[in-house]
Amino acid sequence: RTSFGIVLSIIMLIIYFGFVMLVAFNKAFLATPISTGVTTIGIPLGVFVIVSAFILTGIYVRRANSEFDALTRQ
């Protein structure tokens, strides 16, 4: 359980700090428009950071409810 939680935490930290590093050191890239509209690359990347947190939480909960609960009962 612990190693699985650590792996998911490391993945989330890489995603989050990767985004923060882009904000800190490559603002021009994030400000690049996707098309002729006002939406920039930073908007979908920011949404990806938020959605990835929900997905990784869902992965952990699914495994905890199926595998880890059975181990605890034993």
Side-chain angles (χ1 to χ4, degrees):
R1 269 189 297 199
T2 302
S3 62
F4 185 64
I6 289 172
V7 168
L8 291 179
S9 296
I10 289 171
I11 291 170
M12 191 64 229
L13 286 172
I14 290 170
I15 292 170
Y16 177 75
F17 283 113
F19 182 73
V20 170
M21 296 299 266
L22 276 174
V23 170
F25 297 111
N26 202 352
K27 292 178 186 171
F29 172 72
L30 292 175
T32 306
I34 291 177
S35 62
T36 58
V38 295
T39 304
T40 62
I41 292 175
I43 300 293
L45 283 178
V47 170
F48 169 75
V49 170
I50 295 168
V51 170
S52 66
F54 283 105
I55 290 171
L56 291 175
T57 302
I59 290 170
Y60 182 82
V61 167
R62 183 175 179 188
R63 188 161 178 193
N65 287 340
S66 62
E67 183 180 331
F68 299 153
D69 284 349
L71 291 173
T72 302
R73 276 186 240 119
Q74 290 178 356

